[in-house]
Amino acid sequence: MNKREVEGCPRKNAVGFLGSANPPSHVSLAFKGFQQELDTKHDKYERLVKSSRDVTIESKRTIFLLHRVTSVSDPEEILKEADVKLEGVRQKIGQIAEELRGEDIYQFHRAFTPGIQEFVEAVSFQHYVRHRTLISLDEINASLVFGKAENGEPKDSDSDVPMETQVVSFQVTPSDYLLGVADLTGELMRMCISSVGNGDIDTPFQLSQFLRQIHDGFSFIGNTGPYEVSKKLHTLRQSLGKVEDACYTLRVRGSEIPKHMLADVFSSRNTLIDTDEGVV
């Protein structure tokens, strides 16, 4: 073999090696697929966060509306208006359910859990105002079943598509339900003070009994439930204490204080309680 042939062999191998590197490798194709999958997941996550914010805003507006029942003689008109608002919130949750179709909801749970907790708070508050009872998790989930027509897509009755694919449902998790009920106690405490200010001295005692039952239920859970539940148990006890303090004042000094001044007395006492708890 001469010198030219010897020098040409490596050059030929190098050219062949570089030529085989031009098309994308299996590794780069795999990572390209991973990139698209992550981008799709992040886009879905952001859409769920936006939908959750919409649910939170509309749920808060419903709660503010329901607080007006203490100042009217016939609360049915306010309850009907709340029904309309909650139906709008339910449709927004239907959009969340459509986004989660075929997905593991716990991968996106942090994106929509604030809105769902606020919805549970609003719907349970409305249920209490109307029935004086606590709505169950099964009742909430039963109302979150949607058809294609409800989500804005026409539903063809002659289609061969199975019924299971035309119906989508959203299941509120037990932790979201418990956290929403824990937040409900704060709204019931505000309802108690507002009722006293409007001359209603029966509602505080009903609320006190109801809040004790909720507190007993949360006490049974103890430290076995989610971490957030144990954190909100302290706020629940504060709300119960304020309602019990209002009932005590009504029972002992109700005949001495004019009705239009009772709310101011309770507000000042609650401020003192909050200050003492902060010092401790």
Side-chain angles (χ1 to χ4, degrees):
M1 182 180 296
N2 55 31
K3 184 178 179 180
R4 185 174 181 180
E5 289 176 346
V6 173
E7 292 177 352
C9 289
R11 186 179 304 172
K12 182 177 179 181
N13 293 337
V15 172
F17 176 77
L18 293 175
S20 63
N22 287 333
S25 64
H26 295 292
V27 176
S28 61
L29 289 175
F31 274 93
K32 188 69 174 178
F34 298 155
Q35 177 188 357
Q36 294 175 354
E37 183 179 348
L38 288 174
D39 289 343
T40 302
K41 181 179 178 181
H42 292 159
D43 292 342
K44 185 186 292 288
Y45 191 94
E46 292 301 323
R47 290 195 300 269
L48 289 172
V49 169
K50 183 180 183 301
S51 297
S52 176
R53 289 172 181 166
D54 295 338
V55 170
T56 300
I57 293 172
E58 293 301 323
S59 298
K60 286 183 179 295
R61 289 174 178 171
T62 304
I63 293 173
F64 296 153
L65 172 66
L66 289 170
H67 274 296
R68 290 167 48 194
V69 298
T70 59
S71 59
V72 297
S73 57
D74 185 15
E76 192 60 33
E77 183 177 352
I78 293 179
L79 289 173
K80 289 181 179 179
E81 187 176 350
D83 286 335
V84 175
K85 287 184 174 294
L86 286 177
E87 178 61 24
V89 177
R90 198 177 74 89
Q91 296 302 322
K92 293 182 183 297
I93 296 178
Q95 297 175 5
I96 295 178
E98 190 65 34
E99 288 280 358
L100 294 173
R101 181 192 288 269
E103 300 282 357
D104 181 6
I105 65 171
Y106 291 101
Q107 290 187 2
F108 303 93
H109 185 249
R110 294 186 63 181
F112 59 81
T113 181
I116 299 303
Q117 292 177 28
E118 200 69 32
F119 169 74
V120 171
E121 181 182 356
V123 74
S124 58
F125 189 26
Q126 186 212 32
H127 190 272
Y128 177 80
V129 171
R130 177 170 282 162
H131 303 288
R132 300 293 170 174
T133 58
L134 179 64
I135 191 171
S136 67
L137 176 60
D138 292 336
E139 290 177 293
I140 295 177
N141 286 333
S143 67
L144 298 179
V145 179
F146 312 92
K148 285 289 187 180
E150 292 185 66
N151 292 331
E153 300 179 14
K155 189 174 181 180
D156 187 1
S157 58
D158 298 331
S159 176
D160 295 332
V161 180
M163 182 60 66
E164 290 79 2
T165 61
Q166 296 181 359
V167 176
V168 61
S169 62
F170 183 89
Q171 296 293 311
V172 177
T173 62
S175 61
D176 287 341
Y177 172 74
L178 291 174
L179 294 172
V181 172
D183 291 334
L184 167 68
T185 58
E187 303 304 331
L188 294 178
M189 183 271 295
R190 295 181 185 90
M191 181 181 179
C192 170
I193 304 302
S194 300
S195 299
V196 174
N198 291 307
D200 182 4
I201 60 175
D202 295 327
T203 298
F205 294 95
Q206 297 174 0
L207 289 171
S208 176
Q209 180 80 18
F210 183 68
L211 287 175
R212 286 194 195 101
Q213 295 175 354
I214 294 180
H215 178 267
D216 291 343
F218 274 86
S219 298
F220 285 132
I221 297 174
N223 295 327
T224 61
Y227 172 70
E228 294 83 359
V229 173
S230 60
K231 288 175 58 179
K232 291 195 175 185
L233 184 60
H234 176 68
T235 305
L236 192 158
R237 288 171 177 164
Q238 282 184 325
S239 300
L240 176 59
K242 292 175 182 178
V243 173
E244 288 180 337
D245 184 71
C247 293
Y248 172 81
T249 304
L250 283 174
R251 186 68 71 187
V252 176
R253 301 184 58 194
S255 59
E256 304 174 1
I257 305 174
K259 290 184 177 180
H260 67 277
M261 296 180 60
L262 287 174
D264 295 334
V265 172
F266 295 146
S267 298
S268 61
R269 290 175 66 89
N270 289 335
T271 302
L272 291 175
I273 292 175
D274 292 339
T275 303
D276 293 339
E277 291 176 348
V279 173
V280 174

